Amino acid sequence: MGYNVAVDGPAGAGKSTIAKLVAKEKGYIYVDTGAMYRGLAIHFLKKGINPDNKKAVADACRDAQVTIGYENGAQQIYLNGENVTAMLRTEEVGNMASKTSAIPEVRQKLLELQRSLAEEKDVIMDGRDIGTNILPEADVKIYLTASVETRAKRRFDELKAKGIECSLEEIARDIKERDERDMTREIAPLRRAEDAVLIDSSEMTITQVVEAICSYCR
């Protein structure tokens, strides 16, 4: 049985960045579940599917295979054998993933792969419902959050650094809408597990957050 660390929290809280650094520090395998949902989202976008058409989304899951690989220690996401890692972080893919991730067939598609990884390896896994649903018996559970303003500014700076024109107000609005969607969905909504440690990173550096999480891990 592997040693499991679950990191949950809202969009833009820095879960992936932090989890990767903790994995490196502790020698765990990092599993980015959000990237897996984004991999499926790319499949739906390629097929031109409306995310509100749940039957079409469910049907499309049948001919989609999302797998994880590692190149130079970095996680790669493959969709039907194609490496789609470079496409994962666009706003279009993120919004499609947020809208389709609550659909039961989408969740079931990825659940078995996520749990089997956790059974076999020492992993740190981040997402929206890791500690509450995917790995309810995780050895350590963290709920990582930050204010909407902080998360919007981080995303704004990230896009600007890539030369992408964007609006801080629009990003903040998208984050609020995504929070609302994630917290109110019927299946596995975003919430803090009762035994999860709350870490608000709004006023913390990345190093401070990593050190805080590592202090709870073996």
Side-chain angles (χ1 to χ4, degrees):
M1 186 68 186
Y3 183 82
N4 299 165
V5 180
V7 181
D8 289 309
K15 299 185 298 297
S16 298
T17 300
I18 298 299
K20 285 175 191 170
L21 292 170
V22 173
K24 192 173 182 182
E25 181 75 22
K26 290 291 187 177
Y28 305 150
I29 287 176
Y30 166 64
V31 181
D32 179 355
T33 61
M36 296 168 76
Y37 282 104
R38 285 168 180 257
L40 264 186
I42 290 170
H43 181 65
F44 304 144
L45 286 166
K46 283 185 172 184
K47 284 180 166 284
I49 291 171
N50 183 326
D52 296 324
N53 187 340
K54 293 183 180 180
K55 185 180 185 305
V57 171
D59 289 346
C61 286
R62 292 177 191 152
D63 62 345
Q65 193 59 42
V66 176
T67 52
I68 291 178
Y70 293 89
E71 293 177 13
N72 301 319
Q75 179 180 281
Q76 307 292 311
I77 296 291
Y78 299 88
L79 171 64
N80 294 334
E82 177 192 355
N83 190 332
V84 294
T85 308
M87 303 162 63
L88 297 177
R89 295 296 164 188
T90 67
E91 291 297 300
E92 183 184 27
V93 170
N95 284 324
M96 173 64 87
S98 177
K99 288 172 182 173
T100 56
S101 61
I103 296 171
E105 289 83 358
V106 172
R107 304 196 71 76
Q108 192 58 40
K109 186 83 182 176
L110 300 176
L111 181 64
E112 289 157 19
L113 175 59
Q114 292 162 357
R115 284 184 175 162
S116 64
L117 278 167
E119 281 177 15
E120 297 163 9
K121 310 284 186 183
D122 294 344
V123 303
I124 181 166
M125 202 176 285
D126 74 281
R128 303 286 193 280
D129 65 336
I130 309 304
T132 55
N133 185 50
I134 308 296
L135 302 177
E137 304 301 320
D139 299 276
V140 177
K141 296 179 187 177
I142 304 292
Y143 190 85
L144 180 63
T145 190
S147 68
V148 170
E149 293 75 21
T150 298
R151 289 183 279 144
K153 184 66 165 60
R154 287 173 183 167
R155 183 64 177 153
F156 178 80
D157 291 343
E158 183 185 334
L159 292 171
K160 278 290 191 184
K162 293 178 180 175
I164 299 170
E165 281 302 311
C166 53
S167 157
L168 183 60
E169 292 74 19
E170 273 185 31
I171 293 171
R173 187 166 61 249
D174 278 350
I175 286 175
K176 282 182 184 176
E177 288 175 1
R178 198 174 295 185
D179 284 354
E180 177 69 15
R181 204 157 54 228
D182 290 342
M183 290 175 176
T184 59
R185 68 190 186 196
E186 286 182 28
I187 298 171
L190 169 65
R191 61 181 176 83
R192 177 186 170 190
E194 290 181 10
D195 52 347
V197 177
L198 175 65
I199 297 178
D200 187 326
S201 69
S202 298
E203 303 297 328
M204 298 171 73
T205 65
I206 289 174
T207 301
Q208 287 171 331
V209 177
V210 171
E211 287 175 353
I213 294 176
C214 284
S215 71
Y216 293 102
C217 303
R218 75 175 185 195

